[in-house]
Amino acid sequence: TYYNMTIKMYHISSASFLSTTYTDLRNQSVSDETTIWEGDLSLSSGWNEITFDTNFDYNGTDNIVIVFENRDGQWSSGYGYGENHYVSSNIVAYTYQDNSYPTGSMVKYSRRLNVKLGY
């Protein structure tokens, strides 16, 4: 279980993250920030379903960014991992910090978490 999670979605005009990327996405070309879900997230092996609390109105043109914020503030072993695959550009960014939410730059990564979106 991941405690105190927030999931947000944004539109982004670029196909990958630009230069340095921060947790608040301040230097990215994002718009339409929408908090789609908040709470404690219990996951199990295989596909897991998260039903949005708030709809994200996709504009049909831009790419989207999905941000998973874990604001629990504590780390413990056994969190597991998400299945992912290699992509050719830095479309993932992550950071972590114990005991408080990180505010610095993130590491960009060229692997994409396997996620399905539906409506």
Side-chain angles (χ1 to χ4, degrees):
T1 299
Y2 294 87
Y3 298 100
N4 199 11
M5 289 291 297
T6 299
I7 304 174
K8 298 178 182 178
M9 290 180 76
Y10 303 77
H11 287 108
I12 186 168
S13 57
S14 61
S16 61
F17 288 115
L18 308 172
S19 61
T20 303
T21 303
Y22 297 94
T23 55
D24 61 6
L25 303 177
R26 64 179 168 255
N27 65 333
Q28 303 300 312
S29 56
V30 296
S31 61
D32 305 319
E33 176 184 332
T34 305
T35 299
I36 60 167
W37 188 87
E38 292 180 288
D40 296 339
L41 184 58
S42 295
L43 301 175
S44 59
S45 294
W47 289 101
N48 291 265
E49 183 174 311
I50 302 168
T51 303
F52 295 0
D53 293 330
T54 303
N55 289 329
F56 179 77
D57 188 17
Y58 177 57
N59 66 16
T61 304
D62 290 327
N63 294 302
I64 59 171
V65 174
I66 303 172
V67 174
F68 291 82
E69 296 179 351
N70 181 334
R71 294 182 176 263
D72 180 22
Q74 294 186 19
W75 177 87
S76 63
S77 64
Y79 270 123
Y81 64 94
E83 293 289 332
N84 60 76
H85 64 278
Y86 174 79
V87 293
S88 61
S89 61
N90 290 319
I91 64 168
V92 170
Y94 69 92
T95 191
Y96 54 89
Q97 180 173 312
D98 289 341
N99 303 316
S100 65
Y101 192 73
T103 58
S105 62
M106 296 192 288
V107 175
K108 291 183 284 186
Y109 197 51
S110 58
R111 296 197 67 85
R112 179 173 60 195
L113 187 63
N114 294 342
V115 173
K116 293 192 259 185
L117 298 176
Y119 65 94

